[in-house]
Amino acid sequence: MKKLIIGIVFISIILMACSNQWRKDDAKPGNTDAHKKQGTNNNHKKKIKNGVTFIDDILIVNKKIPLPSDYNPGVDKSARTALTKLLNDGNKKGLKLTITSGFRSYQRQQTLFNNYVKKDGEKAANKYSAKPGSSEHQSGLSFDIGSTKTPQVNFNTDFVKTKAGKWLKAHAHEYGFIIRYPKGKETITGYQYEPWHIRYVGKKHAKAIYESHLTLEEYLGL
Ligand SMILES: [Zn+2]
């Protein structure tokens, strides 16, 4: 009998603590409606496989969640197939799309980053480049897209003003890609606006992210 009473009291305390936590989370200003629709942070499933982080089975890499130095998958097959379709369709419209950067190994990123640091200093380099391990290009799921019609704005935010840039912004999700570093979300993604950098997440997620205007971080409840 004594054990039963202790048990009931214990469960009650846990339930009270949980409901308090729930109210606190709800009151957070960052908890937007769009966020609630996909559930609170607790509903996302996080898995770490050989040092690579997946949330809801989507690989995530950013400045806070790097990839291990030995993760060297090359270009993802599904991403490559989807990209070929995207390029073909865009080029049927005369956009002259081109891949300006694709898969980059940890070692390649290390060389690039070190060169940028030498040139502009670490603080500046950090803003436009990624430290080895935190570049999405190491995942094999990301590509930089430009146009041979307007090479002067490749890797430039003015790319979004070109026909190619506008088309990419409006249609990438139809092929399973998202514009990974949107405008005005620098504090969330950790990267400046990059209208040329696309990331493969599959059609279902790409559509949801496109329609919700969320970053991948927000979409995954980070
Ligand atoms: Zn990129």
Side-chain angles (χ1 to χ4, degrees):
M1 190 61 190
K2 211 175 176 187
K3 267 186 190 164
L4 181 69
I5 290 168
I6 291 170
I8 289 170
V9 168
F10 187 64
I11 288 168
S12 305
I13 289 170
I14 287 179
L15 283 176
M16 271 162 67
C18 284
S19 66
N20 265 339
Q21 187 58 41
W22 184 260
R23 251 175 263 138
K24 255 189 258 161
D25 283 349
D26 250 1
K28 270 183 203 162
N31 240 336
T32 60
D33 280 339
H35 204 145
K36 271 183 204 161
K37 260 181 227 158
Q38 345 151 18
T40 57
N41 294 0
N42 312 330
N43 292 342
H44 294 279
K45 284 186 203 119
K46 186 174 170 180
K47 251 190 298 181
I48 299 175
K49 264 192 241 162
N50 302 321
V52 183
T53 305
F54 295 84
I55 295 172
D56 300 340
D57 293 323
I58 296 175
L59 181 147
I60 181 85
V61 48
N62 59 31
K63 287 178 179 173
K64 287 179 195 154
I65 308 173
L67 291 170
S69 58
D70 60 355
Y71 188 67
N72 197 25
V75 174
D76 179 85
K77 267 191 192 160
S78 306
R80 177 71 238 198
T81 306
L83 182 69
T84 303
K85 270 189 204 152
L86 180 150
L87 295 176
N88 286 344
D89 287 354
N91 289 337
K92 272 183 213 154
K93 298 197 181 321
L95 299 174
K96 300 224 191 266
L97 299 176
T98 180
I99 304 167
T100 50
S101 187
F103 172 73
R104 286 203 294 268
S105 69
Y106 183 96
Q107 287 69 25
R108 173 85 188 117
Q109 188 66 28
Q110 194 157 43
T111 307
L112 277 177
F113 190 76
N114 289 346
N115 288 342
Y116 293 141
V117 170
K118 266 183 217 157
K119 199 172 133 245
D120 295 328
E122 179 152 2
K123 204 180 165 193
N126 240 325
K127 276 189 186 160
Y128 64 82
S129 182
K131 277 187 185 157
S134 52
S135 169
E136 212 177 41
H137 286 276
Q138 195 192 328
S139 71
L141 297 164
S142 291
F143 306 92
D144 294 328
I145 304 299
S147 169
T148 54
K149 268 183 152 180
T150 52
Q152 70 280 8
V153 293
N154 287 351
F155 294 111
N156 184 301
T157 49
D158 281 347
F159 172 64
V160 79
K161 294 177 187 165
T162 65
K163 268 190 185 171
K166 280 178 190 158
W167 184 84
L168 190 68
K169 189 181 177 186
H171 297 284
H173 67 280
E174 294 164 16
Y175 303 86
F177 290 94
I178 56 166
I179 304 292
R180 178 68 174 88
Y181 307 118
K183 199 175 183 177
K185 302 280 185 129
E186 291 82 354
T187 53
I188 299 167
T189 63
Y191 288 93
Q192 291 180 329
Y193 178 39
E194 291 192 0
W196 60 85
H197 179 111
I198 57 171
R199 155 71 199 268
Y200 185 72
V201 288
K203 281 186 191 175
K204 188 186 89 183
H205 295 301
K207 186 173 184 272
I209 292 169
Y210 175 81
E211 286 173 354
S212 63
H213 300 285
L214 293 173
T215 59
L216 187 58
E217 277 78 10
E218 292 167 298
Y219 183 70
L220 298 177
L222 289 167

